[in-house]
């Protein structure tokens, strides 16, 4: 393989987010490796498609669709997507959605994201019941029929009125009750601006909410997510660290820290945060994507493959997934599967700035595979 072709392959980049996420092997390095390591690094250097992944801004904070993963999903073609709001139309975060098949009695559970969205994929035709519940709201049960097409739902929850025996509503903790209404209102405005992609404006609202109530963990977390979108990792890390000091069970903050650690190539630290996020938010596809990045960076390719496959199931239109998963396959010398992922990328993102270069690199990869046969 000529050095010019090697350099050509290594120069492939996706100019979407302006940050390099995966290191590229330098063939001129004087560092020596064992024969196995040398071959692996040669494969990494030649076949890797070097990605500039914008990751967190596009998925968690940019207001794009971020459906959860369905548990125990079966490989069929239907889905249910929806949104949960309160009576005034404000999204309900972490509402619990239980989908149960009337035929089999099997259930799946997911939770809403900050925009109130949820999803179940790979469903069979049939009758289902959907139970929607959230702390401080009256639960709703709804029958759903899936025959010949998928479903989109919008569920409006009513707040609970009155609390028996003077107990607090399940959804409202003592800590939440201590947050001044003005701070909560400012926080909600910040969330809305973040969803509308008015990121700098959202920062002002989050900061104002924190001024009203300094121990407002969710506001610190929202501020950290906004700073990630504004490409300010130092301020993002500071805000997310403070959020986790106030509430170590904030899934979003752990996910944000996982992204920051991955971007800084601190993959072991990323794994710790992401595993906590996975425990708290087991149906969020982005957690699995970031775990895939972390394991890729630690050269734990089997774990990377496992998590990226899960993320791809929930986010089949996210082109970067196919490129990263293709790299993982190639590094495991699963060339046919790697080629399939790159081909799928071209179907999902045919107009990507990378498309022409990916086609050329696929040709080179096929040539290499033919030589090995």
């Amino acid at each position: 393989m000529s050095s010019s072709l090697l350099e050509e392959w290594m120069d492939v980049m996706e100019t979407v987010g302006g940050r390099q996420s995966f290191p590229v092997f330098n063939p001129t390095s004087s560092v020596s490796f064992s024969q196995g390591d040398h071959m692996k690094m040669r494969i990494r250097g030649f076949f890797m498609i070097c990605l500039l992944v914008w990751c967190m801004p596009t998925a968690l904070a940019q207001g794009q669709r971020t459906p959860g993963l369905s548990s125990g999903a079966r490989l069929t073609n239907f889905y249910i997507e929806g949104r949960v709001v309160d009576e005034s139309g404000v999204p309900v975060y972490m509402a619990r959605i239980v989908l149960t098949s009337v035929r089999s009695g099997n259930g799946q559970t997911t939770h809403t994201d900050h925009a109130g969205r949820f999803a179940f994929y790979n469903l069979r035709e049939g009758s289902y019941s959907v139970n929607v519940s959230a702390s401080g709201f009256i639960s709703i049960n709804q029958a759903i029929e899936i025959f010949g097409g998928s479903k989109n739902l919008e569920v409006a929850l009513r707040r609970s009125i009155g609390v028996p025996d003077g107990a607090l509503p399940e959804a409202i903790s003592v800590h939440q009750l201590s947050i001044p209404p003005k701070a909560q209102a400012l926080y909600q405005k910040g969330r809305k601006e973040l969803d509308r992609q008015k990121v700098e404006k959202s920062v002002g609202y989050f900061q104002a909410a924190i001024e009203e109530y300094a121990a407002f963990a969710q506001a610190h977390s929202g501020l950290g997510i906004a700073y990630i979108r504004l490409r300010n990792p130092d301020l993002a890390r500071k805000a997310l660290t403070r959020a986790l000091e106030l509430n170590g069970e904030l899934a979003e903050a752990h996910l944000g820290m996982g992204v920051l650690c991955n971007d800084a190539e601190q993959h072991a630290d990323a794994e710790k945060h992401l595993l906590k996020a996975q425990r708290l938010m087991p149906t969020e596809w982005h957690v699995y994507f970031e775990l895939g990045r972390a394991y890729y960076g630690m050269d734990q390719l089997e774990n990377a493959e496992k998590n990226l496959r899960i993320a791809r199931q929930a986010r089949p239109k996210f082109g970067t997934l196919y490129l990263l998963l293709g790299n993982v396959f190639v590094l495991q010398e699963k060339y046919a599967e790697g080629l399939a992922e790159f081909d799928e990328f071209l179907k999902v993102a045919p107009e990507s700035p990378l498309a022409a270069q990916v086609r050329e690199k696929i040709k080179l990869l096929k040539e290499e595979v033919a030589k090995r046969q």
Side-chain angles (χ1 to χ4, degrees), residues 19 28 65 67 78 136 146 163 173 186 206 216 243 254 271 279 294 311 314:
R19 74 178 83 163
T28 63
R65 184 168 61 89
F78 300 103
I146 301 180
V163 184
S173 67
L186 289 166
F206 290 134
F216 199 165
H254 281 297
E271 180 193 22
R279 174 177 59 82

Side-chain angles (χ1 to χ4, degrees), residues 158-195:
R158 289 189 298 154
R159 291 191 178 274
S160 302
I161 300 175
V163 184
D165 301 324
L168 292 175
E170 178 188 357
I172 304 177
S173 67
V174 174
H175 172 72
Q176 287 174 309
L177 286 173
S178 69
I179 300 173
K182 183 177 179 180
Q184 294 191 40
L186 289 166
Y187 169 74
Q188 290 295 339
K189 288 181 179 179
R191 282 291 171 190
K192 286 183 178 179
E193 295 303 329
L194 201 58
D195 287 341

Side-chain angles (χ1 to χ4, degrees), residues 102-146:
V102 174
R103 180 183 63 83
S104 67
N106 293 330
Q108 306 177 39
T109 301
T110 190
H111 293 80
T112 55
D113 64 13
H114 274 290
R117 294 172 296 226
F118 67 91
F120 295 96
Y121 290 101
N122 301 323
L123 302 176
R124 289 180 176 176
E125 286 188 329
S127 301
Y128 294 84
S129 67
V130 177
N131 176 269
V132 183
S133 61
S135 300
F137 293 89
I138 299 172
S139 298
I140 288 180
N141 288 291
Q142 186 170 343
I144 300 291
E145 303 287 336
I146 301 180

Side-chain angles (χ1 to χ4, degrees), residues 284-295:
E284 172 55 51
W285 77 272
H286 198 88
V287 174
Y288 294 91
F289 174 69
E290 290 298 333
L291 277 169
R293 289 183 67 203
Y295 289 128

Side-chain angles (χ1 to χ4, degrees), residues 2-3 13 34 103 200 310:
S2 70
S3 60
M13 293 183 178
S34 68
R103 180 183 63 83
E200 292 184 356
I310 295 172

